[in-house]
Amino acid sequence: QAEDPQSFQLFLEEKKRKLNEILPDLKDIEKLGTTRRSASVYQGLKGLQTAYNDVLVSHKPGEEYYFLQIETKFTTDEKIKLFFRNYHLKREEKGIKVKGLASIETKEFVGNVFKGMKNVTVRFYEEFMPTGLVIYKNKLMTLDFSGIPTAFVIESDSIANAYRQFFEQKWKESYLVKK
């Protein structure tokens, strides 16, 4: 026996009313999904490699990210030099561009790391600035080389955008050193 069409219509109206009740909550959940925030910690050279691999897989050829170079006192460590040289060779091979700010004291280190690479521009500064930062996509990586090398990666649109603006302002104030 067929159901009365009016009872079906009442059923649908009730479902619609319930949907309208929860719709604001669903929209709030959707907003949370678009503004994802997280933090991760990577330790040791293998951990750094994992963190830096995220930079590589997050970018397509021709895309660009920014860095502020590590503390001057760590630029003499051969393992660290080799790590950054190898990473930037992979980055160069993938065609990812990078802009960096570095202390003028590290001009030789920077020259060795980026020797022969074309997808890189580094400018120098003389005043104190935060060091060991990588700003890419919606992430900020902070590096700590005292003790066990550690990368802290924060995923946050607002934090990444604030540091990006900081970088761009300092970029305008810094200078390019001719080879």
Side-chain angles (χ1 to χ4, degrees), residues 135 137-139 156-168:
I135 307 152
K137 299 294 182 179
N138 67 335
K139 296 178 184 177
S156 164
D157 288 334
S158 59
I159 290 174
N161 287 335
Y163 274 88
R164 193 172 288 107
Q165 288 174 346
F166 170 79
F167 179 92
E168 289 167 351

Side-chain angles (χ1 to χ4, degrees), residues 40-122:
S40 302
V41 179
Y42 302 89
Q43 291 189 308
L45 288 176
K46 292 282 187 198
L48 288 181
Q49 189 172 14
T50 300
Y52 271 91
N53 280 340
D54 185 51
V55 178
L56 294 178
V57 300
S58 297
H59 290 83
K60 296 175 184 158
E63 290 185 328
E64 180 177 73
Y65 72 93
Y66 303 146
F67 74 85
L68 276 78
Q69 188 222 300
I70 62 172
E71 277 185 79
T72 304
K73 65 183 176 184
F74 299 115
T75 60
T76 57
D77 185 308
E78 290 302 318
K79 288 180 187 171
I80 292 172
K81 283 183 195 178
L82 186 60
F83 173 82
F84 282 110
R85 176 70 181 167
N86 288 335
Y87 164 76
H88 283 289
L89 286 169
K90 290 177 193 171
R91 178 199 51 76
E92 183 76 10
E93 185 178 299
K94 192 168 176 192
I96 299 168
K97 297 177 182 179
V98 66
K99 280 185 178 177
L101 291 170
S103 166
I104 191 65
E105 299 166 357
T106 63
K107 185 180 175 210
E108 184 179 341
F109 171 80
V110 169
N112 289 333
V113 167
F114 296 110
K115 187 177 183 177
M117 296 181 195
K118 60 182 178 187
N119 290 317
V120 61
T121 307
V122 178

Side-chain angles (χ1 to χ4, degrees), residues 11-22:
F11 171 78
L12 289 177
E13 286 174 5
E14 177 63 18
K15 292 295 180 188
K16 184 177 180 181
R17 186 188 63 73
K18 287 182 179 179
L19 176 63
N20 285 334
E21 283 178 15
I22 65 168

